Amino acid sequence: MAPNTSPPTGDAFASDLLRGHTDTIVLGTLRTTDRYGFEIYKTIRDATGGDYEIKEATLYATFRRLTKDGLVEAYWGDETQGGRRKYYRITDAGRAVYTQNVKDWTATQRIINTLLETK
Amino acid sequence: MAPNTSPPTGDAFASDLLRGHTDTIVLGTLRTTDRYGFEIYKTIRDATGGDYEIKEATLYATFRRLTKDGLVEAYWGDETQGGRRKYYRITDAGRAVYTQNVKDWTATQRIINTLLETK
DNA sequence: CCAAGTACTGTGCGTGATACAGTACCGGAC
DNA sequence: GTCCGGTACTGTATCACGCACAGTACTTGG
């Protein structure tokens, strides 16, 4: 990630609002294809039009957690030129967790919307 | 809160999914009328049909935070009988924060739904 | 009279997001 | 030919929030 990253647009969302969702978000980007770390960062940034940029430290901490839990597998790419890239592949367990997390997210939305009486 | 509270229904939502929203939820219950702590606990539990029970420790920690930040004001009720009750009143600053938080929540939903490709 | 419910308070811990710091390689500008 | 910005990965330390757990105290019903 570029040094001195200033907030891209808006004033960055309170990190706690996304808390608990980063694992799911990252797993989501891996559903269709293997990706390397920085690629995931860009995928998320671009998908949200720059509204949300996952922090580097957060992203790699997430990889450590997901790997430890067997939800993703990592392997080094064979770049013959350019810097090394570590790719991540979602496992079957990861897909199952992703599916469940999306359900939980739906339920969470329902609960919060009920409590805030957001129509 | 009753001792030995077992999960009411479902298996309790991962606390991290609600994280960052408790302030807003509590402020929301105070929009229409002053309430005391345990009443807020019940209000939230009943509004969600028992799907979400804010934990006692979480609730009172939230009150401390909201009070410190001037978003609510507390006063002791004058119950002539029954146990003492501490009532909370939302301040103008609290209302402003609530309104902003609801906006942030809407934005957060949009972002997560985009990233999860939830339709 | 004592158990269960109501009601408030405080301490300490685990986890996730992040700040911050560091390493390393590449391409283009000057 | 070197310096800078971008790409790319890693590690350590910190902070806040939610919660488990523990404690106090009053009240009502069996």
Side-chain angles (χ1 to χ4, degrees):
Chain A
M1 200 168 308
N4 301 331
T5 305
S6 42
T9 59
D11 233 357
F13 289 89
S15 50
D16 277 333
L17 298 186
L18 274 301
R19 194 173 178 120
H21 300 293
T22 50
D23 286 16
T24 312
I25 289 169
V26 169
L27 287 174
T29 66
L30 296 174
R31 277 175 306 158
T32 51
T33 182
D34 296 0
R35 295 181 196 271
Y36 59 93
F38 206 73
E39 187 184 7
I40 295 177
Y41 160 77
K42 286 183 292 187
T43 301
I44 293 173
R45 184 194 58 192
D46 295 347
T48 59
D51 284 338
Y52 176 53
E53 288 191 353
I54 192 169
K55 302 305 178 301
E56 227 172 336
T58 303
L59 185 58
Y60 292 107
T62 300
F63 286 146
R64 280 197 287 275
R65 192 167 49 241
L66 293 176
T67 303
K68 182 173 68 63
D69 294 345
L71 307 186
V72 301
E73 284 163 356
Y75 58 94
W76 286 103
D78 57 350
E79 280 72 36
T80 46
Q81 66 203 38
R84 73 221 160 115
R85 289 172 172 173
K86 195 187 247 185
Y87 286 83
Y88 294 89
R89 174 169 43 228
I90 190 169
T91 64
D92 288 343
R95 287 185 193 279
V97 166
Y98 174 78
T99 302
Q100 183 57 49
N101 284 1
V102 170
K103 279 189 194 140
D104 289 349
W105 161 240
T106 305
T108 301
Q109 275 187 98
R110 202 188 58 242
I111 288 181
I112 298 183
N113 282 329
T114 299
L115 291 170
L116 300 191
E117 288 173 19
T118 308
K119 274 116 199 163
Chain B
M1 203 167 308
N4 302 329
T5 304
S6 42
T9 61
D11 233 357
F13 290 90
S15 49
D16 277 335
L17 297 186
L18 273 302
R19 194 178 176 118
H21 300 294
T22 49
D23 286 15
T24 312
I25 289 168
V26 169
L27 287 174
T29 66
L30 295 175
R31 276 174 307 157
T32 50
T33 181
D34 296 1
R35 294 180 196 272
Y36 60 92
F38 206 73
E39 186 184 7
I40 294 177
Y41 159 76
K42 286 184 291 187
T43 301
I44 292 172
R45 185 193 58 193
D46 296 346
T48 59
D51 284 338
Y52 176 52
E53 289 190 355
I54 191 168
K55 302 305 176 300
E56 227 172 335
T58 303
L59 185 58
Y60 291 107
T62 300
F63 286 145
R64 280 197 288 275
R65 192 166 49 240
L66 293 176
T67 303
K68 181 173 67 63
D69 294 346
L71 306 185
V72 301
E73 285 163 355
Y75 58 95
W76 285 102
D78 58 349
E79 280 71 36
T80 47
Q81 67 204 40
R84 73 216 160 119
R85 289 171 171 173
K86 195 187 247 183
Y87 286 83
Y88 294 89
R89 174 171 41 228
I90 191 170
T91 64
D92 288 344
R95 289 185 192 277
V97 166
Y98 174 78
T99 302
Q100 183 57 49
N101 285 1
V102 170
K103 279 190 193 139
D104 288 349
W105 161 239
T106 305
T108 301
Q109 278 187 94
R110 202 187 59 241
I111 288 181
I112 298 184
N113 283 329
T114 299
L115 290 171
L116 301 191
E117 288 172 20
T118 307
K119 273 118 199 162

